[in-house]
Amino acid sequence: MALSWITGLLAGLAALHVVQRRFFPFFWVDLRFLLKVMRYGFQIEMYKRTGKVTTVVDRFMQQAQRIPDKVFLVYEGQVFTYRDIDKRSNRVAQLFMKHGGLKKGDTVAMLMNNEPDFLNVWFGLAKLGCMVAFLNYNIRSRSLLHCFHSCGAKLLIAGADMLDTLKEILPNLQEDNVSVWIMAKESPLQGVNTIIDKLKSVSDEPVPQHLCFVSTIKAATLYIFTSGTTGLPKAAVISQLQALKGAAGIWAFGGKPDDIVYVTLPLYHSAASIIGIGGCIYLGATCVLRKKFSASQFWIDCRKHNVTVVQYIGELCRYLCNQPKREGEKDHKVRMAVGNGVRSDVWKEFIARFGDIKMCELYGATEGNICFMNHTGKIGSVGRSNFIYKLIFPFELIKYDFEKDEPIRNAQGWCESVKKGETGLLISQVNSLNPFFGYAGNKSHTKKKLLCEVFKKGDVYFNTGDLMVQDHDNFLYFRDRIGDTFRWKGENVATTEVSDTIGMLDFIQEANVYGVSIQGHEGKVGMASIILKPNQQLHLKSIYEQVVTYLPAYASPRFLRLQENMEVTGTFKQQKFRLVEQGFNPSTITDPLYFLDDSKKEYVPMTKEIYNTIISGQLKL
């Protein structure tokens, strides 16, 4: 009797195992990942209940006490322990508390490249209870001033190598009585305070702890700029909640304290600062920081520093795959790559060429309230959803009208979800568990990112602006961005900002900027359709000088199209849909076309020969 009972039990378990493998193949991997995430979520929930938040910088100070002599940062041959960074950031805090006139709650803007003092300034200001705005060092002039003022900063700290950029905006800043500091011993600019020479004269003792005390996870800690769809960059409010979630990303994918993380992405982006640096802090790991990404030096650095985890964006992986093949490309210790935006074909080639590296693809907008993590390694997917995940993070993919550039609503006025396998706009419900913190400054920017009355009265959803597909196994795949933004070189390009810059020229009546796809390239390449004012001539040299002077390189249109009339929609918005479809082929487009030739430093007429070299991949963009 007992034997038959045992036999029946084993048979039942075997049958359950077969059913699970057949119909729920990801059950156990989903469960393990979910339990891990829920454990961290419980920790954050305790912060809410106790009113005492252990912030990312608090965690760093704890690590500096626990593992003071462990290497935290490696940069250009320099090695810094957790104690080193802790003490130098204390000096920064002491300096600005005594000489900068800063107090808890003030906002300070940073204009710095990747370097150790980026972290020292960031942590030092956070120890004073200041909010920190990371300015994009590629942005210049009017756009940079806009960014500074939009976050309400009262003080600017610039890197020693940012003098040229600083010169352009200094008169405006001084006119507004903004205090400007530079990470140098001396300054050639009048009225600019220096930092390096003063650090030795201040103590490296901690400032009073009450200054950095945080009682709510909803408190703002950073401003990180994102292009959005309104033209000029917007200051996304990064709360302590978002920073804590991001810092746990590498750990959630399987990161360990003995990992060495290679960060080559710009620290003004949330990927490098929150996920990369924050991830190292959470683990107590080591970061190898590089000023700028170099495809030729990438694997050399990885071997030299025994790197185990790397950060990527899709373009970075493609650049590495485009490098000439060398001996021993799999001779490294990298076991994991964390990032976003890699295409399926590049993903496959990357693994085949550089070894069995666990690709940890994730999805999440800087200011967004939803995140997906591909914990299963499914090639091409940005993540996976299930019933439990959707209960915690409710989202939908809804039908979208590409011509009208808006969600489709039915006769009753409600939006409708797409079927599995169909492309839809990703929206995420805004509630107490998943708040949307919006943007600093103009409240209309925040309002525009929200969709109200979506499925029922009173509901509110965050509009990600991203088109996605969910397959029948609940894997999610990124398809494209909507609106007036496209991605190029890993950056968001706001078409309105580009068209405004071109429109400043006195012979331009209107400029319509959009992105066009080129096979083999991530994202879309910038193109501008321009209309001349009556009786005016086209001055290609002036356009070239305008875009390279006032726009980052990734935002400068590579193609120009000269049109007589600008197409508009029924609501008088610039028509981009047909222009995007038509692309830049001189064989099918009768309008004059031009190409930005870097070697000649000017726009040149687009020929069939140039077109063919671009399409074939012989000419790199």
Side-chain angles (χ1 to χ4, degrees):
M1 184 75 173
L3 183 62
S4 62
W5 182 83
I6 293 172
T7 303
L9 177 62
L10 291 174
L13 290 173
L16 278 174
H17 179 68
V18 170
V19 170
Q20 179 261 310
R21 292 290 297 271
R22 177 73 184 273
F23 298 104
F24 308 99
F26 302 101
F27 176 80
W28 292 112
V29 69
D30 280 352
L31 182 62
R32 283 194 297 271
F33 185 76
L34 189 62
L35 289 174
K36 193 173 189 179
V37 171
M38 287 177 68
R39 179 155 57 96
Y40 189 67
F42 177 76
Q43 183 179 327
I44 290 178
E45 186 61 30
M46 291 306 296
Y47 294 157
K48 291 182 185 178
R49 295 177 182 275
T50 60
K52 170 62 176 77
V53 181
T54 301
T55 68
V56 172
V57 175
D58 286 336
R59 177 79 172 183
F60 171 77
M61 290 189 283
Q62 290 174 359
Q63 300 288 31
Q65 291 291 318
R66 189 178 69 86
I67 47 173
D69 297 317
K70 182 170 181 178
V71 175
F72 173 56
L73 189 68
V74 179
Y75 178 82
E76 294 185 352
Q78 299 174 282
V79 176
F80 304 90
T81 64
Y82 275 82
R83 181 193 283 117
D84 293 335
I85 299 295
D86 187 41
K87 286 188 173 295
R88 188 166 173 87
S89 61
N90 283 344
R91 289 184 185 275
V92 172
Q94 294 279 6
L95 172 63
F96 283 101
M97 183 173 66
K98 293 178 179 179
H99 304 293
L102 292 178
K103 60 183 185 298
K104 187 181 177 85
D106 285 341
T107 298
V108 179
M110 289 173 54
L111 180 64
M112 298 177 69
N113 269 294
N114 284 15
E115 58 177 287
D117 274 334
F118 186 106
L119 305 185
N120 292 317
V121 172
W122 169 17
F123 296 170
L125 293 171
K127 288 175 178 180
L128 289 178
C130 292
M131 288 176 284
V132 185
F134 295 159
L135 299 178
N136 180 340
Y137 52 71
N138 291 298
I139 295 175
R140 307 288 291 266
S141 190
R142 184 175 67 100
S143 296
L144 186 57
L145 275 173
H146 162 82
C147 291
F148 180 86
H149 290 302
S150 67
C151 63
K154 63 177 291 185
L155 187 146
L156 173 65
I157 301 174
D161 54 356
M162 300 303 299
L163 280 174
D164 289 342
T165 302
L166 190 57
K167 282 179 187 175
E168 297 173 355
I169 62 171
L170 187 59
N172 298 82
L173 294 175
Q174 291 176 335
E175 189 177 320
D176 294 333
N177 295 317
V178 173
S179 180
V180 181
W181 295 70
I182 189 166
M183 292 298 299
K185 292 181 180 179
E186 53 186 33
S187 172
L189 302 176
Q190 190 173 359
V192 174
N193 304 290
T194 54
I195 297 175
I196 300 297
D197 58 316
K198 298 179 179 65
L199 285 180
K200 290 181 180 179
S201 64
V202 294
S203 169
D204 62 7
E205 290 299 309
V207 295
Q209 285 192 343
H210 70 84
L211 293 174
C212 64
F213 177 80
V214 176
S215 60
T216 171
I217 57 172
K218 292 184 179 181
T221 179
L222 297 171
Y223 294 114
I224 295 181
F225 289 85
T226 178
S227 295
T229 59
T230 58
L232 290 169
K234 301 188 294 291
V237 179
I238 306 300
S239 67
Q240 298 288 355
L241 173 63
Q242 291 161 294
L244 287 166
K245 284 181 177 180
I250 296 176
W251 165 80
F253 277 124
K256 302 173 183 176
D258 59 355
D259 274 322
I260 298 173
V261 182
Y262 188 40
V263 176
T264 65
L265 303 176
L267 288 172
Y268 63 74
H269 269 330
S270 56
S273 55
I274 296 178
I275 298 175
I277 299 299
C280 288
I281 291 170
Y282 183 79
L283 292 166
T286 297
C287 172
V288 176
L289 179 68
R290 188 176 177 89
K291 186 171 185 177
K292 287 186 179 178
F293 165 73
S294 168
S296 62
Q297 294 297 308
F298 189 90
W299 295 112
I300 294 173
D301 281 351
C302 288
R303 283 189 287 271
K304 178 181 177 181
H305 299 292
N306 294 315
V307 170
T308 57
V309 178
V310 299
Q311 276 196 288
Y312 71 85
I313 54 174
E315 282 289 274
L316 186 150
C317 294
R318 187 175 69 83
Y319 290 149
L320 292 174
C321 289
N322 285 344
Q323 283 287 294
K325 291 189 177 181
R326 298 182 177 90
E327 288 279 336
E329 288 188 328
K330 296 182 181 180
D331 181 21
H332 56 75
K333 295 182 179 179
V334 177
R335 63 181 182 86
M336 196 163 80
V338 180
N340 66 282
V342 63
R343 293 199 322 253
S344 297
D345 57 333
V346 175
W347 187 325
K348 293 173 185 175
E349 184 181 353
F350 187 85
I351 293 172
R353 184 165 165 183
F354 302 115
D356 187 19
I357 299 170
K358 179 184 177 184
M359 301 296 287
C360 303
E361 180 81 1
L362 54 84
Y363 166 85
T366 299
E367 73 277 39
N369 68 336
I370 185 137
C371 172
F372 298 116
M373 301 176 74
N374 183 350
H375 59 279
T376 66
K378 175 82 169 182
I379 292 177
S381 172
V382 300
R384 204 178 119 69
S385 178
N386 53 48
F387 174 73
I388 298 176
Y389 182 90
K390 210 166 181 182
L391 279 179
I392 303 171
F393 306 104
F395 72 91
E396 294 293 338
L397 300 180
I398 61 173
K399 296 178 180 178
Y400 194 81
D401 189 319
F402 298 98
E403 287 280 359
K404 294 181 179 179
D405 195 23
E406 62 185 22
I408 295 173
R409 293 185 180 263
N410 60 24
Q412 289 73 42
W414 307 120
C415 294
E416 296 182 353
S417 299
V418 299
K419 297 177 182 177
K420 286 187 177 180
E422 294 180 349
T423 299
L425 173 66
L426 173 65
I427 59 173
S428 173
Q429 190 169 18
V430 177
N431 54 36
S432 58
L433 282 176
N434 305 292
F436 171 55
F437 296 97
Y439 309 98
N442 195 331
K443 291 184 179 180
S444 65
H445 292 156
T446 299
K447 190 175 181 181
K448 285 178 182 177
K449 288 297 289 183
L450 298 174
L451 290 175
C452 302
E453 314 284 309
V454 179
F455 299 110
K456 62 181 181 181
K457 283 190 176 182
D459 66 2
V460 179
Y461 282 78
F462 170 70
N463 179 359
T464 67
D466 292 325
L467 300 168
M468 303 187 83
V469 172
Q470 185 171 8
D471 68 14
H472 292 279
D473 289 324
N474 290 322
F475 285 100
L476 290 139
Y477 302 84
F478 175 81
R479 285 292 178 260
D480 209 344
R481 288 189 64 79
I482 62 166
D484 293 329
T485 302
F486 60 89
R487 284 184 76 78
W488 179 242
K489 302 288 186 183
E491 300 277 355
N492 284 342
V493 179
T495 59
T496 311
E497 179 184 0
V498 180
S499 60
D500 286 349
T501 300
I502 297 173
M504 291 178 185
L505 294 167
D506 56 12
F507 57 91
I508 300 289
Q509 178 171 299
E510 193 172 1
N512 186 1
V513 178
Y514 49 96
V516 292
S517 299
I518 301 179
Q519 188 173 358
H521 288 75
E522 299 286 347
K524 294 184 176 181
V525 189
M527 185 167 182
S529 168
I530 54 178
I531 309 292
L532 299 178
K533 288 181 179 177
N535 304 317
Q536 291 287 336
Q537 292 185 334
L538 179 66
H539 300 285
L540 292 171
K541 185 174 175 140
S542 297
I543 298 178
Y544 174 84
E545 290 175 350
Q546 180 79 352
V547 299
V548 298
T549 301
Y550 295 106
L551 292 173
Y554 59 78
S556 298
R558 298 310 301 259
F559 309 109
L560 298 179
R561 178 173 178 173
L562 183 61
Q563 291 189 292
E564 291 185 2
N565 299 294
M566 188 69 69
E567 293 184 68
V568 295
T569 65
T571 54
F572 303 103
K573 293 180 180 178
Q574 290 179 336
Q575 176 61 265
K576 300 179 190 283
F577 192 77
R578 293 189 189 91
L579 293 172
V580 170
E581 283 190 323
Q582 291 166 3
F584 57 97
N585 188 347
S587 298
T588 57
I589 297 172
T590 56
D591 295 327
L593 298 173
Y594 303 91
F595 169 66
L596 195 161
D597 190 326
D598 288 323
S599 62
K600 295 182 179 178
K601 295 188 176 181
E602 63 179 332
Y603 282 97
V604 299
M606 171 67 78
T607 63
K608 291 181 182 178
E609 290 75 17
I610 294 176
Y611 177 82
N612 289 333
T613 58
I614 293 171
I615 296 300
S616 65
Q618 297 174 48
L619 197 158
K620 293 183 179 180
L621 298 179

